[in-house]
């Protein structure tokens, strides 16, 4: 039974191929291929115009990003500890901005927050009062003294960038 079905489908496919070939070979240079060529030439002209528009838009966005970064201060040169890099930087960015290579990361922005708020949040994550499985897993074996060090380090990010910009 399977062989009969496969044979019938094979004959149907060959019949459809023969029908397509007899109708002018649209994809091998027949009458219908001229329509396809016309569409291609119009879209290439439109794509060139669009690429010029995109370049100007990209330049505008780049200028806006530079202005925002200048306004925020020089946060790219913030010095961080090895502990911060190993535990925090993957989600919050190497400088606490919540971004890496102009892409949003999983964790929120830490830059600009004061150390007391960060310390309270870390304690809440560790205790389970704030739910985040990643943060709880990272902090479960961390002492309160280490949490204070993290909070003080992160709270000093904005101070470091202010000193560097002066």
């Amino acid at each position: 039974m399977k062989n009969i079905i496969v044979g019938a489908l094979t004959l149907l496919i060959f019949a459809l191929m023969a029908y397509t070939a007899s109708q002018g070979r649209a994809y091998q240079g027949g009458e219908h291929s001229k329509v396809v060529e016309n569409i291609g030439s119009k879209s290439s002209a439109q794509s060139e115009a669009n690429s010029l528009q995109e370049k100007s838009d990209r330049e505008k966005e780049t200028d806006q990003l530079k202005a925002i970064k200048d306004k925020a201060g020089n946060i790219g040169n913030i010095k961080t500890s090895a502990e911060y890099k190993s535990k925090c930087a993957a989600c919050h960015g190497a400088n606490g901005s919540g971004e890496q290579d102009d892409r949003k990361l999983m964790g929120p922005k830490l830059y600009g927050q004061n150390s007391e708020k960060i310390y309270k949040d870390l304690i809440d994550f560790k205790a389970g009062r704030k739910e985040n499985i990643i943060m709880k897993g990272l902090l479960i074996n961390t002492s309160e003294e280490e949490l204070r060090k993290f909070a003080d380090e992160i709270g000093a990010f904005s101070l470091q960038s202010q000193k560097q910009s002066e």
Side-chain angles (χ1 to χ4, degrees):
M1 184 68 175
K2 290 180 185 177
N3 292 338
I4 294 172
I5 294 172
V6 170
L9 288 175
T10 303
L11 288 175
L12 178 66
I13 290 171
F14 279 117
L16 290 172
M17 288 171 52
Y19 175 75
T20 302
S22 69
Q23 294 299 315
R25 301 180 184 182
Y27 299 105
Q28 284 97 20
E31 178 183 327
H32 300 290
S33 68
K34 294 176 185 172
V35 174
V36 173
E37 287 175 7
N38 290 341
I39 291 171
S41 65
K42 288 179 183 176
S43 66
S44 65
Q46 288 174 347
S47 66
E48 288 177 17
N50 289 341
S51 67
L52 292 175
Q53 178 68 22
E54 286 177 19
K55 287 180 184 176
S56 64
D57 289 344
R58 286 183 188 155
E59 290 172 357
K60 289 176 187 175
E61 288 176 1
T62 303
D63 291 341
Q64 289 173 345
L65 283 173
K66 285 180 183 178
I68 290 170
K69 286 180 181 179
D70 290 341
K71 187 175 182 181
N74 188 2
I75 64 173
N77 296 325
I78 292 176
K79 304 223 182 317
T80 58
S81 66
E83 292 84 16
Y84 176 85
K85 289 177 185 173
S86 68
K87 287 192 174 191
C88 309
C91 297
H92 297 285
N95 54 15
S97 66
E99 294 182 354
Q100 186 86 17
D101 299 325
D102 295 328
R103 291 188 179 155
K104 178 103 173 81
L105 293 174
M106 181 173 31
K109 178 178 113 172
L110 299 175
Y111 179 84
Q113 295 184 24
N114 67 30
S115 61
E116 290 303 316
K117 180 186 180 330
I118 293 171
Y119 180 69
K120 181 187 175 302
D121 288 345
L122 291 174
I123 294 291
D124 288 345
F125 282 123
K126 184 177 179 180
R129 289 186 290 268
K130 281 191 166 191
E131 288 190 31
N132 186 318
I133 193 77
I134 295 171
M135 289 295 291
K136 187 170 184 168
L138 285 170
L139 301 175
I140 199 155
N141 293 323
T142 308
S143 70
E144 289 193 21
E145 181 181 312
E146 291 172 311
L147 294 178
R148 173 54 72 187
K149 285 181 185 177
F150 279 126
D152 290 341
E153 179 181 359
I154 294 166
F157 284 175
S158 59
L159 297 174
Q160 286 183 29
S161 68
Q162 287 174 0
K163 288 179 184 176
Q164 291 174 358
S165 63
E166 291 175 352

